[in-house]
Amino acid sequence: MKRVVITGAGTINALGQDVASTQEAMREGRCGIGPLEFRDVERLTVRIGAQVKGFEPESVFNRQQLSLYDRFTQFTLIAARQAVEQSGLTFHGEMADRSGVVLGTSGGGLTTQDENYRAVYEEGKNRVHPFVVPKLMNNAAASHVSMEFNLRGPSFTVATACASSNHAMGQAFQMIRSGMCTAMITGGSEAMLCFGGVKAWEGLRVMSRDACRPFSATRNGMVQGEGAGVFVFEDYDHARARGAEILGEVLGFAMTSDAADIVMPSKQGAARAISGALRDAQVDRTRVGYINAHGTGTAANDKTESAAVADVFGTHADDLMISSTKSMHGHLIGGTGAVELLACLMALNDGIIAPTIGYEEPDPECALDVVPNEAREREVDVVLSNAFAFGGLNAVLALARI
């Protein structure tokens, strides 16, 4: 079994347009949630979100590229370029054949769908752009990343709602660990902040109209975000031989299915995923110092996740730090686990634990150390990243400092 490490990271999200600015915002407990700005926002009852502001795609991509790149693909390519540049890898010959890309998304090209439904049904147009299908398909981002970096190995997209990125990164991890691949570009992206995207989520009645307050007794729902997080996962021996900077080691991964309800989470399913990741990583639960929680800010998720953590860790749960960075960057749905992994790397490398901001009042059903409102300095050796999705699909990653 090969060891798997992270040698590159990139992001664009509401907190920053690169890793350094994003982690700085996390350290400062800065909130990226604000008023939404897009067409027909006044027709929505939910008008806040963690939107990427100040992003001008025309300054990054040419006209031909923009005709092919939905917003979620644009975000992915920006983050992927940062990650590959940091890794120092180039993909030629056998290296290209043994490298691929696995990305997560839930909505895919939802912005493109929204624009074209509007054109056909509202504006009465009889034609759409010939590239609508390749622009909106969920595998568009993965395909364009493979083409840009000459990745000729396994390349595909995972769509498991809010667990998409963690599932994708777990697959990348397993392919390298098994010896199938030497390096993988992995992570996820989402761009659902458009009229149709938010209107659909309004129907679920799980959205907050004012703020995201995970684990707080005053929480009243989730807040959507957008953006991407992309990483280079690499065979440890290969990375060490070429003198690469190592950001962290991926120790283990587990995924479970609740097989119970399409929207309500299960404590048992979440607990089995957490336990499975620890077992796969071959680490004792007492070594875990920090968990980046799924922590959506909904009543059902937060108490279920807290109960699952308490069940798995027992008395050690009192010594754990668990925070939800969704309080800052919003819930990126299929891309959320990838951006949250940046908080895990910050904990391992810098000894800085990102806070759960917006925390107002303790909830006895969420009686854990949720690092309220202010970041904390604490060295940790092992961290977990939780993702629990609609459909009862759970994915947990375990990482360590190296």
Side-chain angles (χ1 to χ4, degrees):
M1 299 279 275
K2 304 283 188 179
R3 293 174 67 183
V4 181
V5 294
I6 302 173
T7 56
T11 190
I12 176 170
N13 62 84
L15 296 179
Q17 297 191 18
D18 55 34
V19 171
S21 58
T22 297
Q23 291 182 333
E24 180 183 6
M26 288 178 174
R27 284 193 295 269
E28 295 177 357
R30 196 183 312 150
C31 187
I33 297 168
L36 290 171
E37 298 174 3
F38 51 69
R39 184 176 173 182
D40 286 339
V41 69
E42 67 280 356
R43 293 177 56 196
L44 298 170
T45 56
V46 174
R47 300 178 185 176
I48 63 166
Q51 202 168 12
V52 176
K53 302 288 180 71
F55 168 56
E56 298 179 357
E58 296 81 6
S59 66
V60 182
F61 306 107
N62 62 42
R63 185 175 177 181
Q64 183 179 5
Q65 290 171 324
L66 290 173
S67 70
L68 281 168
Y69 298 167
D70 181 88
R71 190 171 173 89
F72 97 106
T73 297
Q74 296 168 24
F75 289 155
T76 306
L77 285 167
I78 289 168
R81 289 170 181 177
Q82 295 172 15
V84 172
E85 181 179 5
Q86 182 179 23
S87 76
L89 282 173
T90 56
F91 302 96
H92 303 290
E94 185 181 1
M95 187 64 187
D97 294 341
R98 292 185 52 80
S99 302
V101 51
V102 187
L103 297 172
T105 188
S106 181
L110 190 65
T111 302
T112 296
Q113 291 187 50
D114 192 56
E115 291 169 352
N116 284 276
Y117 272 119
R118 187 191 298 276
V120 172
Y121 292 113
E122 182 178 319
E123 299 171 6
K125 293 184 179 179
N126 291 324
R127 292 183 180 180
V128 296
H129 196 283
F131 291 157
V132 165
V133 169
K135 192 173 180 179
L136 63 79
M137 61 191 188
N138 280 28
N139 64 298
S143 296
H144 285 296
V145 169
S146 72
M147 289 185 281
E148 175 151 334
F149 297 105
N150 192 38
L151 305 169
R152 301 199 298 258
S155 296
F156 58 97
T157 297
V158 176
T160 51
C162 311
S164 300
S165 287
N166 273 21
H167 274 117
M169 292 186 286
Q171 299 309 302
F173 162 65
Q174 290 176 333
M175 283 189 282
I176 297 172
R177 184 168 65 169
S178 72
M180 178 188 294
C181 298
T182 301
M184 294 294 291
I185 311 302
T186 188
S189 63
E190 206 74 271
M192 299 178 73
L193 293 181
C194 57
F195 175 77
V198 177
K199 177 57 72 176
W201 276 90
E202 280 184 352
L204 285 165
R205 300 181 182 179
V206 296
M207 304 273 283
S208 173
R209 300 186 189 185
D210 57 1
C212 181
R213 293 182 284 268
F215 303 113
S216 177
T218 58
R219 66 192 183 277
N220 61 2
M222 56 170 273
V223 176
Q224 277 199 63
E226 65 177 2
V230 177
F231 304 88
V232 176
F233 284 16
E234 187 175 348
D235 178 301
Y236 169 73
D237 291 333
H238 186 270
R240 187 178 180 184
R242 66 186 186 87
E245 178 188 6
I246 294 175
L247 306 179
E249 181 174 4
V250 187
L251 291 181
F253 170 67
M255 47 189 168
T256 65
S257 176
D258 296 346
D261 192 279
I262 197 69
V263 291
M264 291 298 293
S266 158
K267 179 184 75 169
Q268 291 77 16
R272 286 190 298 112
I274 295 169
S275 296
L278 293 173
R279 187 166 53 250
D280 189 50
Q282 298 183 1
V283 297
D284 188 87
R285 62 187 180 180
T286 58
R287 285 188 60 196
V288 179
Y290 170 64
I291 299 175
N292 187 281
H294 190 58
T296 61
T298 62
N301 175 87
D302 292 1
K303 68 181 183 181
T304 301
E305 184 170 14
S306 296
V309 169
D311 278 7
V312 172
F313 288 94
T315 57
H316 182 58
D318 295 332
D319 300 321
L320 276 172
M321 295 171 287
I322 177 170
S323 69
S324 172
T325 52
K326 288 182 178 71
S327 57
M328 294 180 275
H329 55 64
H331 190 346
L332 279 70
I333 317 299
T336 200
V339 174
E340 289 163 353
L341 201 72
L342 296 171
C344 293
L345 293 179
M346 183 173 73
L348 292 172
N349 293 317
D350 304 327
I352 303 294
I353 308 301
T356 303
I357 70 168
Y359 189 81
E360 295 177 340
E361 183 180 330
D363 181 344
E365 292 191 278
C366 303
L368 299 170
D369 179 1
V370 299
V371 195
N373 298 317
E374 293 185 2
R376 191 177 300 168
E377 292 189 28
R378 186 80 57 83
E379 285 194 5
V380 293
D381 294 320
V382 178
V383 302
L384 299 182
S385 178
N386 289 347
F388 309 128
F390 278 173
L393 307 181
N394 312 301
V396 177
L397 290 158
L399 296 92
R401 186 171 49 187
I402 196 167

